[in-house]
Amino acid sequence: MKFLKILATPFIKLWGWIRDTAWVQPLLIVGCIFAVIFSIPYISKGIQNLSKSEEDTMKFYNNNRLSMSGAYKDNSDAGKFLYAYSNAQNAWEDYNNSKNLEDSKKTLSEFSDRYGDKFFFILAKSSCDACENISTGLEYLKNNQSKYDVKGVKLHTIVVDQDLSKNDEDDNYKTDSAFKMIYDNYSGAFDNFYDAGRNGSYYTSNVSDYSSYVDNLETLHGKVEDIKVPLVVMVDLSKDDYGEYVMKGYDYIATQVFFEITGDTKYDRASSFADCWKYYGKTFGKSVTE
């Protein structure tokens, strides 16, 4: 206490001098006013930078978006994707068990032709720092694939808070979100993401916060408002040089499921996404076919 008293003494004396010296007070007031005025441009610039950053993030997701427009009539691109995904997963199980081979091959081929044989599927939303981290890393990877020894990186997104008020004239919009409508109709796809997540290398590796990852997985088959966003799913139906599926024998076409990406910069995060794409490194390197 004695030390604190000694430390505070000069400030107490300064305050007493300011209080008792009349001509100093107007100068302080004027100084404070000018300080506020001169700081306004910097504050404004900071706000603009934050706004632009979020705008760039949403532009990236919207450019790769599966729209929810038509969700209330069960006719949205997002719903069609989840329906096709579930069918492809069922066909994959038949293919691995040598059942209905012709039909299963046809279903898998149609899915690949429409959405790609390997891609990231992402749930995103606005005003989401983690979504921004993922977008900057993945966008840099897409634009600089040769630097990371990858090719063909592709993605599809569903923006869960997509504004449909101007597109869908439906009374349900006032009570249920479009994403809730889609989730209720195609929750089986999210159940599959959960199962795939429990079998992917991200789950079996030494993730930094294992319990948090499991908790996030649990949200995929809970209430729609509790689903953890962002969600990243890598789907792999790629084939080798002999025309065989690279992941043949693995239970799921979703080979990686996670909710965050490591890296302090977009370059680090791009590298982490590249590791995922190549099944390489500590987090993504364990073979999911084991």
Side-chain angles (χ1 to χ4, degrees):
M1 292 296 293
K2 186 176 180 180
F3 171 76
L4 292 176
K5 186 176 180 180
I6 294 172
L7 189 65
T9 298
F11 297 100
I12 294 173
K13 289 182 178 180
L14 177 62
W15 170 248
W17 179 74
I18 293 173
R19 183 189 59 197
D20 298 334
T21 308
W23 64 269
V24 173
Q25 296 172 17
L27 291 179
L28 285 175
I29 293 172
V30 172
C32 290
I33 292 173
F34 275 102
V36 171
I37 292 173
F38 286 125
S39 66
I40 287 175
Y42 298 99
I43 295 172
S44 177
K45 185 176 180 180
I47 294 173
Q48 289 175 356
N49 288 339
L50 287 174
S51 178
K52 186 178 186 304
S53 179
E54 180 178 342
E55 183 179 322
D56 290 343
T57 294
M58 295 314 299
K59 181 179 179 181
F60 174 72
Y61 286 127
N62 286 327
N63 285 343
N64 297 279
R65 186 182 68 196
L66 297 162
S67 177
M68 293 192 295
S69 180
Y72 300 109
K73 300 175 183 177
D74 196 17
N75 189 35
S76 67
D77 290 341
K80 290 174 182 176
F81 166 78
L82 293 172
Y83 177 76
Y85 171 86
S86 294
N87 285 342
Q89 174 58 38
N90 291 335
W92 182 251
E93 293 171 8
D94 284 346
Y95 175 80
N96 275 332
N97 292 310
S98 299
K99 292 170 56 180
N100 306 315
L101 280 179
E102 291 303 316
D103 289 341
S104 61
K105 287 180 180 179
K106 180 181 178 183
T107 299
L108 293 171
S109 178
E110 289 175 348
F111 182 80
S112 294
D113 289 344
R114 184 168 185 178
Y115 298 106
D117 59 3
K118 188 176 183 180
F119 58 86
F120 290 109
F121 166 67
I122 301 174
L123 285 186
K125 64 180 180 181
S126 58
S127 302
C128 167
D129 291 340
C131 297
E132 182 177 337
N133 286 340
I134 284 173
S135 72
T136 53
L138 191 50
E139 183 173 24
Y140 189 80
L141 176 64
K142 278 196 69 181
N143 294 335
N144 300 274
Q145 296 187 46
S146 60
K147 286 185 178 181
Y148 297 93
D149 192 28
V150 298
K151 59 182 179 179
V153 174
K154 187 176 183 179
L155 74 148
H156 301 288
T157 69
I158 294 178
V159 179
V160 300
D161 57 353
Q162 179 187 348
D163 183 10
L164 297 175
S165 58
K166 297 179 181 179
N167 303 92
D168 284 44
E169 297 179 1
D170 195 305
D171 290 338
N172 285 327
Y173 188 83
K174 300 175 183 177
T175 56
D176 292 326
S177 70
F179 183 62
K180 184 179 186 304
M181 299 288 289
I182 290 172
Y183 178 80
D184 287 346
N185 287 333
Y186 305 105
S187 59
F190 291 89
D191 289 338
N192 180 260
F193 295 154
Y194 169 85
D195 292 335
R198 293 296 293 257
N199 285 271
S201 64
Y202 197 94
Y203 177 82
T204 56
S205 68
N206 294 318
V207 293
S208 58
D209 192 346
Y210 181 83
S211 61
S212 177
Y213 177 70
V214 174
D215 289 343
N216 289 337
L217 277 180
E218 292 291 341
T219 69
L220 297 181
H221 55 195
K223 295 180 180 179
V224 64
E225 59 268 22
D226 295 332
I227 289 179
K228 177 65 175 177
V229 177
L231 162 70
V232 182
V233 178
M234 188 170 78
V235 176
D236 191 353
L237 283 172
S238 59
K239 295 181 178 180
D240 60 23
D241 294 338
Y242 302 97
E244 293 288 341
Y245 287 108
V246 172
M247 303 307 296
K248 182 179 180 180
Y250 183 61
D251 290 339
Y252 306 98
I253 61 175
T255 57
Q256 301 287 4
V257 179
F258 51 99
F259 303 87
E260 60 183 12
I261 197 73
T262 57
D264 294 329
T265 68
K266 66 180 180 181
Y267 313 108
D268 296 333
R269 294 190 288 272
S271 180
S272 294
F273 270 114
D275 287 348
C276 178
W277 193 259
K278 296 183 291 185
Y279 303 106
Y280 176 80
K282 180 180 178 181
T283 301
F284 300 107
K286 180 177 173 59
S287 174
V288 292
T289 59
E290 291 180 359

